[in-house]
Amino acid sequence: MSVDVLDIRDLTFRYNGVDVLQDLRFSVETGDYVGLVGPNGSGKTTLIRLLLGLLEAGQGEIRLFGRPIGEFRDWTRIGYLPQKTAFVTPRFPATVREIVALGRLAGKRFPKILGRTDREAVQRVLERLDIADLQDRPVGELSGGQQQRVLIARALVNDPDLLILDEPASALDPEVRDRFFQLLADLNTERRVSIVMVTHDLGTIGRYSSKLLYLDKRIVFYGTYEEFCHSEDVTRIFGAFAQHVICHRHGAPTDGGGLTPNPLLPGMAAGPCGEDRCGEERK
Amino acid sequence: MNWMEWLSFGFVQRALLAGSFIAVLCAVLGVFLVLRRLSLIGDGLAHATFGSAALALWLQWNPLYVSVPIVMASALGILKLTEKTRMYGDAAIGVVSAVGIAGGVLIAGLAGGFNVDLFSFLFGSILTIGPLDVAVSVILSVVVVAAVSLFYQELLSVTFDEESARASGIRVGAINQVFGLLTAVAVVLSMKVVGVLLISALLILPAVTALQLTRSFRATMAVAAAIAVLSVLAGILVSFALDLPSGATIVFINILFLAAGLAFRRREGRAGEKTSP
């Protein structure tokens, strides 16, 4: 019997007496690529922090790879990319190589000393992400996009089975973003890496994810991409435009255009619909 | 009297030896403190050291032995206040600092004043350090630097990104406690070198100077340690030669290094602008 990568049961989280998340129940299986969306303040980042053990759930249960989160120790199986690179101090003196190597600490016991295998793993991921030429540069001197790639490398350095990404492409330019999402897609299809990704970019979900979880303190929709696209409830809840952007897999533009606000989903954005390709399908 | 004659004095040798070890210790911890925006913790713990030194004088015990446990408890107190009471870190440092100073003044009042003895703790008196204190300083410095080496990767991870460190299974709370205890030891030992009022300078200045010059974390710690040792050695000799207060002289030499580091950084920045496409 296969074990779910993630299993959430009746999860409720309160902060200062207010329900931030209510009665969540869902599971993520091996090879799932889940797009986690929802308006601002819907609890997406709180859910991510609960999954990583950074917050303790008030009620309910979180199981990672079949184990209750309190007993889970094999953090090398999980790669995490935080929401922002703003915490990187401009004068922070560590090199790219030193920062990426920090990802290898998850599997070490005290004293955590990095050896040749770790250095080789770091080199591999730097080359895979095309940043080997940056390895001796201080991370504090890099651009936001380069810093984001360094953090992505740190998340991938252990070849994790589950990637948890909190708005991973926010600082990337369009070309790098496309390459990054292609890399995730390759990991997902070739190595069956499960992915849970918070994003405001509906087009990205449409192009890459296999499941969609819409959160607004509780689960509004969780299902496969096909279920989303054929659900009349979804059309009623999200509106035809949002459903169209996702289901027709237009994605965000890569030719220099920016994301446009989506009037039907406050706080979210969508790639332009692409009138030339499917204007006739737009409701 | 020439330099070689000065170096033949036992008290100068003791000052140079203890000062060098304490300088390395402070510089290494200082890099983490500065990057974690915890520079002022040195001041807070220094004030706790003042209180504990006053208590030691009142009890007529060795201030070093009384101060180490009290200042360690103060460091843990700062962490607990931040974690358990939702108090901001700088406010928690302020609370511990106030308790230390007020406690020291109250004890001094109760004891009828300590005059010269307490004054030496405020401004440092490295040239009066005894053989036993030298041995304790050297041993504790070696222990603390060894502990930093053992926890180096965890400390770097927590310093860079505490949340991701936690997410990768690092016990951030325990690491912070270890770091607080090591800092407490550094502060107590520095009391003799530069005095309570200037301890934070010994922690902050070499680290800030090194950050102007280096590109990797290990290099930053090595350069900070080198600058700290040079400052302490030069400060002790200059203060002895010119009959100046040793603590303040050490700090001023550190400030000269910082000025040189800032000038170097500025020149490098300009050179970079000229060569960049």
Side-chain angles (χ1 to χ4, degrees):
Chain A
M1 193 182 90
S2 70
V3 175
D4 287 334
V5 171
L6 247 180
D7 193 15
I8 309 293
R9 295 195 178 277
D10 307 321
L11 179 68
T12 292
F13 181 77
R14 289 191 184 87
Y15 186 73
N16 280 347
V18 177
D19 280 356
V20 179
L21 294 170
Q22 298 169 358
D23 298 325
L24 305 193
R25 175 183 275 263
F26 69 96
S27 59
V28 175
E29 293 161 18
T30 302
D32 279 351
Y33 191 147
V34 180
L36 175 53
V37 296
N40 291 335
S42 59
K44 300 186 295 293
T45 297
T46 301
L47 175 57
I48 292 290
R49 291 172 63 79
L50 284 163
L51 300 184
L52 292 164
L54 300 174
L55 292 173
E56 216 166 293
Q59 292 170 26
E61 189 180 26
I62 300 171
R63 297 181 81 90
L64 294 168
F65 299 98
R67 297 185 74 89
I69 194 165
E71 296 171 16
F72 183 76
R73 296 286 177 270
D74 197 1
W75 294 102
T76 53
R77 298 185 74 181
I78 299 176
Y80 167 55
L81 183 64
Q83 188 174 14
K84 289 176 184 145
T85 58
F87 62 83
V88 181
T89 313
R91 301 263 339 114
F92 201 89
T95 62
V96 167
R97 199 172 36 204
E98 286 175 309
I99 295 304
V100 175
L102 293 177
R104 298 289 290 180
L105 298 182
K108 304 275 179 197
R109 291 187 175 179
F110 179 81
K112 294 178 187 279
I113 294 168
L114 302 176
R116 200 179 73 179
T117 318
D118 303 305
R119 287 193 291 275
E120 287 169 357
V122 169
Q123 189 63 35
R124 273 198 305 277
V125 77
L126 290 174
E127 285 167 8
R128 193 197 294 171
L129 286 171
D130 251 349
I131 51 173
D133 56 324
L134 300 178
Q135 61 183 300
D136 292 320
R137 295 264 309 272
V139 69
E141 290 181 4
L142 302 180
S143 68
Q146 288 172 322
Q147 286 175 352
Q148 188 79 327
R149 285 157 77 190
V150 172
L151 298 184
I152 292 164
R154 184 183 62 173
L156 293 177
V157 73
N158 286 316
D159 292 326
D161 295 315
L162 170 64
L163 269 175
I164 297 177
L165 313 161
D166 197 352
E167 295 192 53
S170 52
L172 301 180
D173 61 51
E175 189 191 340
V176 175
R177 187 175 57 195
D178 272 1
R179 288 218 308 271
F180 168 64
F181 281 122
Q182 192 54 54
L183 171 73
L184 291 185
D186 292 346
L187 289 169
N188 179 242
T189 52
E190 292 166 13
R191 290 195 50 247
R192 305 267 294 153
V193 173
S194 308
I195 295 171
V196 175
M197 179 174 67
V198 174
T199 180
H200 281 176
D201 180 353
L202 291 183
T204 301
I205 300 165
R207 278 205 295 178
Y208 297 107
S209 63
S210 58
K211 287 184 177 175
L212 190 144
L213 194 161
Y214 186 93
L215 192 66
D216 192 0
K217 299 188 188 306
R218 58 191 176 79
I219 293 176
V220 179
F221 176 86
Y222 183 53
T224 65
Y225 173 83
E226 284 73 22
E227 286 167 345
F228 178 85
C229 291
H230 292 101
S231 165
E232 286 181 8
D233 285 344
V234 168
T235 314
R236 185 175 49 77
I237 295 167
F238 298 126
F241 177 69
Q243 195 177 19
H244 169 87
V245 167
I246 297 173
C247 295
H248 288 253
R249 298 178 188 253
H250 294 301
T254 57
D255 52 2
L259 296 175
T260 53
N262 182 342
L264 299 174
L265 290 170
M268 298 178 70
C273 195
E275 294 283 353
D276 56 326
R277 284 177 290 171
C278 60
E280 72 282 3
E281 293 167 355
R282 188 174 180 177
K283 304 268 196 303
Chain B
M1 198 180 289
N2 60 33
W3 292 99
M4 292 312 290
E5 282 178 281
W6 291 343
L7 290 174
S8 66
F9 291 124
F11 69 92
V12 174
Q13 290 169 359
R14 287 195 295 275
L16 294 175
L17 181 65
S20 299
F21 274 85
I22 294 167
V24 171
L25 165 66
C26 287
V28 166
L29 290 174
V31 173
F32 293 105
L33 286 172
V34 167
L35 289 170
R36 296 187 70 183
R37 316 255 163 100
L38 288 172
S39 300
L40 288 179
I41 204 169
D43 261 338
L45 294 181
H47 292 162
T49 309
F50 173 77
S52 62
L55 181 65
L57 288 175
W58 190 27
L59 299 172
Q60 297 187 329
W61 292 354
N62 186 324
L64 198 58
Y65 308 148
V66 176
S67 294
V68 168
I70 288 180
V71 180
M72 280 179 152
S74 303
L76 295 180
I78 289 172
L79 290 172
K80 286 288 171 207
L81 280 174
T82 315
E83 286 168 15
K84 304 287 181 195
T85 66
R86 294 191 192 167
M87 194 182 284
Y88 290 118
D90 55 349
I93 291 170
V95 169
V96 168
S97 177
V99 171
I101 287 282
V105 172
L106 275 179
I107 291 169
L110 288 171
F114 304 120
N115 302 324
V116 178
D117 281 344
L118 205 56
F119 194 79
S120 76
F121 288 112
L122 287 175
F123 299 103
S125 56
I126 186 76
L127 291 169
T128 64
I129 194 165
L132 187 61
D133 281 353
V134 172
V136 172
S137 299
V138 169
I139 290 167
L140 286 179
S141 297
V142 170
V143 167
V144 173
V145 172
V148 170
S149 304
L150 285 174
F151 289 102
Y152 171 76
Q153 294 292 349
E154 288 99 320
L155 285 169
L156 174 57
S157 184
V158 172
T159 303
F160 179 67
D161 174 9
E162 193 167 308
E163 183 174 279
S164 292
R166 212 181 283 271
S168 67
I170 291 174
R171 294 172 61 203
V172 172
I175 292 296
N176 282 339
Q177 286 183 3
V178 168
F179 185 67
L181 295 176
L182 299 180
T183 306
V185 173
V187 166
V188 173
L189 295 179
S190 306
M191 174 173 67
K192 250 324 195 190
V193 183
V194 290
V196 163
L197 295 179
L198 291 172
I199 282 173
S200 60
L202 209 57
L203 288 164
I204 297 169
L205 291 175
V208 175
T209 306
L211 285 171
Q212 312 306 317
L213 308 173
T214 54
R215 297 170 70 82
S216 78
F217 208 85
R218 285 182 194 278
T220 304
M221 291 204 298
V223 170
I227 289 168
V229 170
L230 283 174
S231 301
V232 167
L233 296 181
I236 290 169
L237 293 174
V238 169
S239 67
F240 183 57
L242 301 179
D243 196 21
L244 295 170
S246 55
T249 310
I250 290 167
V251 170
F252 257 100
I253 290 174
N254 260 308
I255 288 169
L256 289 178
F257 274 115
L258 175 59
L262 290 170
F264 173 82
R265 181 81 201 167
R266 200 169 166 184
R267 210 187 68 177
E268 286 288 294
R270 282 191 189 145
E273 282 169 20
K274 280 179 189 167
T275 54
S276 62

